Amino acid sequence: YNLKSRILCDELKKYPCFKNITLYESSLLVEVETNLKVESGEICKRAEEKGILIMPSNKEGSINLCFGGIEAKRISEAIEFLVETVN
């Protein structure tokens, strides 16, 4: 989990659209604040239209990401695709 958590955080930090990252207990579930001024559900809807399922957050412009089921080597690719999808 440590490797995946580190990769996930490093990848998220590469993009200025992600403002704050909150790690939860397993470190593979993170809440990410974006610079988008829309409801969390709208971000999830945009992502789902491109085949990405993410979990809404209770905060405007935030989403919850879980990478427990993805290989560590694919996290970078997944984050890049997510950024392209929701912006």
Side-chain angles (χ1 to χ4, degrees), residues 3-71:
L3 174 64
K4 283 186 178 182
S5 181
R6 192 170 359 106
I7 292 170
L8 176 58
C9 289
D10 289 347
E11 291 301 318
L12 289 168
K13 289 175 184 176
K14 288 181 181 179
Y15 299 94
C17 62
F18 298 126
K19 298 189 307 185
N20 292 316
I21 303 165
T22 303
L23 294 171
Y24 288 102
E25 190 172 334
S26 73
S27 297
L28 293 179
L29 174 63
V30 297
E31 181 177 56
V32 183
E33 291 181 44
T34 72
N35 59 2
L36 300 173
K37 300 295 182 200
V38 298
E39 292 294 321
S40 180
E42 177 61 26
I43 300 170
C44 294
K45 181 181 171 190
R46 291 179 194 178
E48 188 172 359
E49 289 171 355
K50 298 289 186 175
I52 302 172
L53 297 177
I54 54 179
M55 299 172 284
S57 168
N58 293 329
K59 298 179 188 174
E60 179 184 81
S62 292
I63 53 175
N64 290 309
L65 302 175
C66 179
F67 281 85
I70 190 171
E71 296 175 72

